[in-house]
Amino acid sequence: MRPSALRQLLKATARPGMISFAGGLPDAELFSLERVQAAVGAVLSRVGGRALQYGETEGVAELRDWIAAHYSRGALHLTRENVLVTTGAQQALDLAGRVLLDAGDRVVVENPTYMAALLAWQPLGANFLPVGVDAGGMKVEELPALLAQRPKMIYVMPTFQNPTGVTLTRKRRVELLQCGAPVFEDNPYEELRYEGERLPSLLELDSGARVFQAGTFSKTLMPGLRIGWVIGPPPLIERMGRAKQAMDLHTSTFNQHLALELLQTGYMEEFIPRLRQVYRERRDAMLDGLAKYFPPGSTWTKPEGGMFIFVTLPEGMAAAKYLPLALERDVAFVPGEEFHLQGAGRNTMRLNFTKMPVAEIKTGVQRLAEVLAGA
Ligand code: PMP
């Protein structure tokens, strides 16, 4: 296992005064501490000692029911047997690897992709088959050539991809499913849509039980709860449950009840519209700043939701070279190379726009542009 460069960077960005575009963090100022405090009391008085006891590996039944109901859309009808509660969506990634991958197995991944998926699967001896990404998401037309290498699964983030923010088009969603391979749909950002029309998930479009989907409350409630899940066909859920048992027995019972209490008292309905409004303003401020200050020849994605804008600098400008200079001026970003396979993406950078307020975003983008111009 290699240390994650991003985790190292996050340590540096914890410094006071730092304008960090580096992490994938929500703004903790937007959490309602009063609501959480009330929910803690409510769980203790309503559920009592059961909320502090060991629980089932699959998760608290009522929470599994809530997740099943929330994601049953159109023709998709889910029950709790389709749902395994996990310790963050990150654990769903780990479990998928443990259950599905043997040494030497191939996994199709977007290039760039979510690097912590690679960190979970690399130690298992997985090999990655990269597929390009453009403004319409994974370039599905590149898949047929890779399928000849018999990948065990295709890992894809169709909605507001990390790190690019782009969304897979409807046409490509349908084409992706036609390729017949098992698909891991990582879907943490779906609820954070600021404009445009919602597209059906791959899970909703799938008719062959080939898709399994990871989700999380990290981006909608709060990441510190560490509550995620995986939705899939019951035999797969059962196998993942067995693997989870050996990892942590179960996800925190108390935190599951806390999440459930927040959901049942309307936290999402109240909180998500506010998140959408605040994050939309921040995205727009960052897009404005980039247009105003960034060097000519730079391009960037225009995401309809999620947390990230991905910048491509003019050819030959290696983003990682500017990071120490940017950190000196109290601005942080992640060099895009970190998300790429095969050393690609040296002239790219990922910018998070959800953590900092609009004023800091404006200052930070301007400073970053000065660093790039000065060099
Ligand atoms: N998948 C993707 C694409 C993510 O961006 C993240 C969070 N950065 C995760 C999974 C893990 O989220 P969680 O906090 O639920 O473990």
Side-chain angles (χ1 to χ4, degrees):
M1 285 187 167
R2 288 189 301 117
S4 151
L6 182 52
R7 293 236 73 87
Q8 310 276 77
L9 180 59
L10 285 180
K11 271 188 220 155
T13 58
R15 215 161 69 206
M18 179 67 74
I19 300 180
S20 179
F21 302 142
L25 274 59
D27 184 352
E29 298 289 319
L30 299 171
F31 303 150
S32 168
L33 299 188
E34 291 112 66
R35 290 291 299 271
V36 176
Q37 195 157 36
V40 168
V43 167
L44 291 177
S45 54
R46 198 171 51 75
V47 189
R50 201 161 47 86
L52 302 170
Q53 185 56 283
Y54 281 118
E56 290 174 36
T57 300
E58 292 76 13
V60 167
E62 298 94 315
L63 183 61
R64 293 168 75 201
D65 288 344
W66 187 94
I67 294 164
H70 189 76
Y71 287 93
S72 290
R73 285 186 176 123
L76 180 67
H77 178 69
L78 302 166
T79 67
R80 74 172 72 145
E81 276 68 42
N82 295 107
V83 180
L84 174 70
V85 175
T86 56
T87 303
Q90 186 61 36
Q91 190 180 46
L93 291 162
D94 195 342
L95 289 170
R98 287 176 195 233
V99 166
L100 296 174
L101 300 179
D102 294 314
D105 280 346
R106 298 181 179 91
V107 181
V108 172
V109 298
E110 293 157 301
N111 195 25
T113 189
Y114 176 51
M115 77 177 87
L118 307 186
L119 289 176
W121 300 330
Q122 244 150 11
L124 304 171
N127 295 320
F128 303 107
L129 305 176
V131 181
V133 174
D134 64 17
M138 176 188 266
K139 291 184 186 166
V140 171
E141 58 277 18
E142 291 180 9
L143 281 179
L146 300 175
L147 293 176
Q149 300 189 50
R150 304 198 149 269
K152 270 279 176 72
M153 65 178 177
I154 299 174
Y155 171 66
V156 59
M157 291 159 275
T159 305
F160 317 137
Q161 200 240 16
N162 183 2
T164 61
V166 300
T167 293
L168 192 66
T169 62
R170 186 188 289 264
K171 183 164 168 283
R172 281 182 172 172
R173 285 175 193 235
V174 173
E175 286 164 1
L176 173 56
L177 292 171
Q178 281 164 353
C179 81
V183 175
F184 183 167
E185 175 176 38
D186 196 1
N187 192 35
Y189 299 105
E190 175 176 25
E191 308 278 354
L192 300 181
R193 178 175 278 285
Y194 317 127
E195 65 177 271
E197 184 205 348
R198 179 188 182 275
L199 293 174
S201 68
L202 296 173
L203 188 72
E204 287 163 61
L205 291 171
D206 173 42
S207 54
R210 285 207 200 86
V211 176
F212 57 102
Q213 187 192 67
T216 181
F217 289 130
S218 288
K219 318 295 172 177
T220 49
L221 297 179
M222 42 215 73
L225 291 178
R226 306 307 303 131
I227 308 248
W229 57 87
V230 54
I231 300 173
L236 178 68
I237 294 302
E238 218 228 281
R239 285 170 68 198
M240 287 190 171
R242 262 183 270 154
K244 179 172 164 67
Q245 206 163 20
M247 288 169 83
D248 63 0
L249 301 183
H250 62 79
T251 295
S252 158
T253 319
F254 186 76
N255 288 3
Q256 290 185 69
H257 280 290
L258 192 56
L260 193 59
E261 176 67 27
L262 290 168
L263 296 168
Q264 287 170 342
T265 52
Y267 191 89
M268 290 263 253
E269 288 80 352
E270 213 178 292
F271 192 61
I272 296 207
R274 167 128 183 81
L275 278 189
R276 289 196 187 117
Q277 182 206 328
V278 172
Y279 290 167
R280 184 195 295 116
E281 285 166 11
R282 293 179 182 183
R283 176 202 61 172
D284 292 345
M286 187 170 272
L287 288 171
D288 282 352
L290 289 167
K292 233 184 244 160
Y293 302 116
F294 256 48
S298 312
T299 57
W300 47 86
T301 57
K302 283 140 195 121
E304 291 187 336
M307 293 193 161
F308 308 107
I309 293 172
F310 202 66
V311 177
T312 304
L313 299 171
E315 202 65 50
M317 282 181 88
K321 211 178 77 189
Y322 304 103
L323 183 59
L325 301 169
L327 289 175
E328 259 172 41
R329 297 205 56 199
D330 284 340
V331 189
F333 65 90
V334 188
E337 204 177 331
E338 292 291 330
F339 309 94
H340 283 83
L341 291 149
Q342 301 165 338
R346 304 186 87 177
N347 61 330
T348 60
M349 50 171 71
R350 188 190 75 175
L351 302 178
N352 166 272
F353 57 79
T354 54
K355 170 91 178 15
M356 307 311 295
V358 164
E360 271 89 344
I361 289 179
K362 286 186 178 164
T363 311
V365 172
Q366 192 170 356
R367 267 192 221 164
L368 199 50
E370 283 163 13
V371 166
L372 296 172

